Amino acid sequence: MCKLKYNSDGLIPVITVDAVTNEVLMQAYMNEEAYNKTLESGDAWYYSRSRKQLWHKGETSGHFQKVVSIYSDCDNDCLLLKVRQSGVACHTGSRSCFFNEISTFENGVGNLSVLRVLDETIKDRAENPQENSYTNYLLNKGTEKICKKVGEEATEAVIAAMKKDNAELSGEIADLLYHLFVLMQSRGVSYEEVLKVLAGRHACGADTPAREAKPKKK
């Protein structure tokens, strides 16, 4: 295990990100005791500089952070925590503490966080049905209907690709992804499970989803 370098106050900065989407959730500090408690418990513990005491994230709000992995940087003077965030990370009620946009240099850049938002929205519709909701319509019709829609959207994506219309193809793939997420909700499969399969194949050297992943030869 690497030897961490704490600053003159006995603290080390910590960047905490969502383990699935890599969204930056917050920045805080740990002292050695908070670091050891994090290792022992699997929950994120920090040191509050303002209160001058240990801080078990979520103890007051209920928004705990289950640690998936911990990394140190190249100089061992900063930590990166990958966590499963329960609820929101920020005391303001925002999922991330980083919501004050100062400047944007490129428009329209998407990121994987939209998959989490899509998944959460579909789950919310399932738990709290809304009138005239297309998602609720599909879920009420059941898996067979959803599967038919998945097939239709896949066909439309193929047609757009054959037409060499990339703008249309992007839209059709987005429609296909939405219907696949509804299908996963219908069958009780989380998108994280799908990502785990992809990650497992990648770790085994699989370069296509059609090929069965096999362990790399040593």
Side-chain angles (χ1 to χ4, degrees), residues 169-190:
L169 176 59
S170 296
E172 296 299 347
I173 290 176
D175 290 344
L176 176 58
L177 282 173
Y178 161 77
H179 286 88
L180 284 172
F181 269 65
V182 176
L183 178 60
M184 288 189 288
Q185 174 65 39
S186 174
R187 295 295 305 131
V189 175
S190 74

Side-chain angles (χ1 to χ4, degrees), residues 32-183:
E32 189 171 5
E33 185 179 3
Y35 174 72
N36 288 332
K37 279 184 172 291
T38 298
L39 289 178
E40 293 167 3
S41 68
D43 281 355
W45 284 76
Y46 302 102
Y47 181 82
S48 172
R49 294 177 298 166
S50 60
R51 298 193 301 270
K52 299 187 184 305
Q53 64 183 36
L54 290 186
W55 164 33
H56 183 192
K57 177 65 176 174
E59 188 172 20
T60 301
S61 65
H63 299 157
F64 293 97
Q65 293 176 343
K66 298 295 182 182
V67 179
V68 174
S69 57
I70 303 176
Y71 295 83
S72 69
D73 72 345
C74 55
D75 294 320
N76 293 328
D77 59 4
C78 183
L79 293 177
L80 174 69
L81 261 63
K82 294 192 174 186
V83 305
R84 294 186 182 278
Q85 175 69 51
S86 174
V88 301
C90 184
H91 72 281
T92 64
S94 175
R95 176 170 175 81
S96 169
C97 293
F98 293 90
F99 56 83
N100 293 311
E101 183 175 314
I102 296 176
S103 181
T104 299
F105 294 92
E106 186 175 350
N107 294 323
V109 178
N111 59 71
L112 287 177
S113 66
V114 72
L115 297 182
R116 172 187 57 78
V117 174
L118 176 60
D119 183 63
E120 291 176 354
T121 300
I122 293 172
K123 285 181 179 177
D124 182 68
R125 292 294 184 274
E127 296 170 1
N128 305 288
Q130 293 188 10
E131 188 176 357
N132 298 322
S133 165
Y134 178 62
T135 299
N136 285 134
Y137 163 77
L138 289 175
L139 292 173
N140 290 336
K141 286 293 184 179
T143 300
E144 183 176 349
K145 173 65 174 178
I146 299 169
C147 287
K148 288 181 180 178
K149 288 300 298 181
V150 168
E152 291 174 9
E153 298 298 341
T155 299
E156 290 176 9
V158 169
I159 292 172
M162 296 302 293
K163 288 165 57 179
K164 295 182 172 54
D165 187 332
N166 287 350
E168 182 179 343
L169 176 59
S170 296
E172 296 299 347
I173 290 176
D175 290 344
L176 176 58
L177 282 173
Y178 161 77
H179 286 88
L180 284 172
F181 269 65
V182 176
L183 178 60

